[in-house]
Amino acid sequence: MSTPISPGSLRRASLDSVLAYAWDSEVFTASDAMSTVGLTRSTTIDVTDELVGVGLLRELPNARAAGDYRKGRPARRFELRADAAVVVGLDAGRMHLTAIVADLRGDVLSVTRQESDAVSGAEDEIEADAVERRRALVESVIDTALHDAGRDRAEVLAVCVGVPAPVNAAGLSPVHRTEFWARMNPGLKDLIATWAPIVRVENDASLAAIAEGTAGAARDHQDYVAILAGERLGAGVVVDGRLLRGAHGGAGEPVGFDHVDGVHGAYGIGYRLAEWARISIAKGELPSGHPLAASGATVDAKAVLRLAGAGDAWAGALTERAGALLARIAGIYGTFYDPSLVVVSGAISGSLDPVIAAARRRIPDELDLPAPEISASSLGADVVAIGATMAAVEAARTGVLELAELPAGLAPAAAGT
């Protein structure tokens, strides 16, 4: 593909329509596509041949060769070359990074997880988040994931990275008083764009919202908020089916909770449960013989939630408190954005049933509008990486015809290969 096709041309619109149809279909004929995209037969055949010529589609053996021929001229058959290139979705959290390599339909080829230097022993927070260290880590995790999938950079069509910072439409994060956002997103779009044709950088909670709306709890909702509830709060907001970003990427940014009674900071549900448990133990409030009273017992959110689920009264009181906190947070988002659903996402979401139940009882008192439903995500710890992969696929779909040159794997394939 030597030159990009003019995005304003009728030809380009026809190519977009047929490519979109192919991306959502399995094997198809020109007649199949024509009935959906609304083009004439000759135009449909012409643009399908052009997409074969640039390597995005492959022509398969015709219906006679495939054993599906009955009478008349056998139909030509096509499919998207989903395996000819890959996309990468990366959750570049501060503590942990998860990369997914997938084919062009989003089918997963590899998942790679790695701890950041913030966990593994850098001397202090600034050193752990140093720009060059962060940039090298992001590329290292991507390269490892590609290696695990048996691919390399030359085969990548699109990359999407999720970071714990607001991100604007250009992939940049605003200045923060502690420079934390710049350390989390140190020019990652420009860095990866030196070798990847299409690059997208987004706020991590926004990508969680994409995942929930496509494959999770919000599939049937047009207005919802996805809350990341681990160590720090984050929220992705979808209104009228559109992901909100804002001028600087700050839609849903939870720093305002510093000023909200009953919340006092953007700390996640998991963080708060562990904090309250340790404070309670330090005050001597733990009942005699309690499982967490043993020397060396792990005191974290998962331990508290596990005990609450087993009927432990002390842990149950903490989860009731966490439910009140979640109701207050959901009530604020409910007042500002009027969602039908607030879905709680992240690593501990699968254990949050007692917290969700407590929040549901309290949410009607937190706002004047009809209270949103509150649900736990089923997508687990990889929700951001899943959303990033979906966003990378979408970026590939909408951006591939803009490219002057495609990845090497998308060289035109011969019929039947």
Side-chain angles (χ1 to χ4, degrees):
M1 193 173 188
S2 58
T3 58
I5 301 160
S6 170
S9 69
L10 290 175
R11 185 70 166 186
R12 169 60 188 275
S14 299
L15 286 161
D16 283 337
S17 296
V18 174
L19 181 59
Y21 175 84
W23 219 295
D24 291 330
S25 305
E26 298 299 331
V27 176
F28 67 95
T29 66
S31 295
D32 296 331
M34 181 179 64
S35 64
T36 299
V37 301
L39 301 174
T40 65
R41 182 175 183 81
S42 60
T43 299
T44 302
I45 292 172
D46 284 348
V47 298
T48 300
D49 283 339
E50 186 168 347
L51 291 169
V52 170
V54 299
L56 290 169
L57 303 184
R58 64 163 60 89
E59 183 171 0
L60 300 172
N62 64 35
R64 178 184 286 119
D68 194 29
Y69 171 68
R70 285 173 170 73
K71 62 181 180 178
R73 183 178 181 181
R76 296 170 65 194
R77 301 159 66 248
F78 307 90
E79 69 176 359
L80 179 74
R81 296 185 64 215
D83 58 346
V86 296
V87 301
V88 181
L90 175 63
D91 174 9
R94 179 169 183 267
M95 307 295 284
H96 308 279
L97 293 88
T98 300
I100 295 176
V101 177
D103 69 15
L104 296 183
R105 293 193 193 276
D107 293 332
V108 175
L109 304 177
S110 72
V111 180
T112 300
R113 299 178 178 86
Q114 184 171 325
E115 291 185 344
S116 74
D117 291 341
V119 174
S120 56
E123 293 180 4
D124 57 43
E125 177 178 313
I126 301 299
E127 180 187 351
D129 298 337
V131 167
E132 291 309 316
R133 188 190 297 261
R134 172 80 167 167
R135 287 160 65 97
L137 179 61
V138 164
E139 290 205 299
S140 173
V141 174
I142 291 174
D143 287 339
T144 299
L146 288 169
H147 180 269
D148 291 346
R151 301 300 190 113
D152 59 37
R153 290 185 179 186
E155 298 173 88
V156 174
L157 179 56
V159 177
C160 180
V161 182
V163 296
V167 182
N168 67 15
L172 303 174
S173 296
V175 175
H176 184 267
R177 57 181 176 272
T178 68
E179 299 185 355
F180 175 74
W181 293 339
R183 297 199 304 273
M184 292 299 96
N185 182 20
L188 294 180
K189 184 173 182 178
D190 287 344
L191 172 71
I192 298 170
T194 60
W195 57 268
I198 299 171
V199 184
R200 180 175 175 179
V201 179
E202 294 284 358
N203 170 259
D204 53 3
S206 293
L207 293 175
I210 289 173
E212 297 294 351
T214 305
R219 279 174 291 187
D220 297 326
H221 294 264
Q222 290 291 299
D223 303 277
Y224 64 92
V225 176
I227 295 176
L228 288 177
E231 292 295 301
R232 299 282 294 178
L233 284 176
V237 181
V238 174
V239 174
D240 297 332
R242 298 176 63 87
L243 181 71
L244 299 188
R245 179 182 281 114
H248 308 97
E253 173 58 36
V255 69
F257 287 120
D258 290 350
H259 311 291
V260 175
D261 288 343
V263 183
H264 301 298
Y267 299 102
I269 303 298
Y271 177 93
R272 286 294 176 80
L273 276 171
E275 177 189 46
W276 296 336
R278 295 187 188 107
I279 292 172
S280 178
I281 291 170
K283 290 181 176 179
E285 296 173 351
L286 203 62
S288 177
H290 193 277
L292 294 186
S295 176
T298 300
V299 181
D300 59 16
K302 289 183 178 180
V304 173
L305 291 165
R306 184 172 58 252
L307 288 166
D312 181 85
W314 174 83
L318 293 178
T319 58
E320 284 289 319
R321 184 178 177 186
L325 173 66
L326 177 57
R328 176 59 55 87
I329 293 167
I332 295 295
Y333 283 123
T335 297
F336 287 153
Y337 299 111
D338 191 20
S340 60
L341 172 71
V342 172
V343 54
V344 185
S345 304
I348 67 168
S349 60
S351 303
L352 284 176
D353 285 351
V355 176
I356 297 290
R360 285 172 177 164
R361 290 193 299 270
R362 290 170 169 80
I363 184 66
D365 296 329
E366 293 293 340
L367 71 171
D368 292 327
L369 289 167
E373 177 188 353
I374 303 177
S375 296
S377 172
S378 62
L379 299 180
D382 291 342
V383 62
V384 174
I386 292 169
T389 305
M390 293 172 174
V393 170
E394 184 60 24
R397 287 178 59 138
T398 57
V400 64
L401 292 179
E402 301 279 357
L403 300 176
E405 184 174 347
L406 296 175
L410 283 169
T417 63

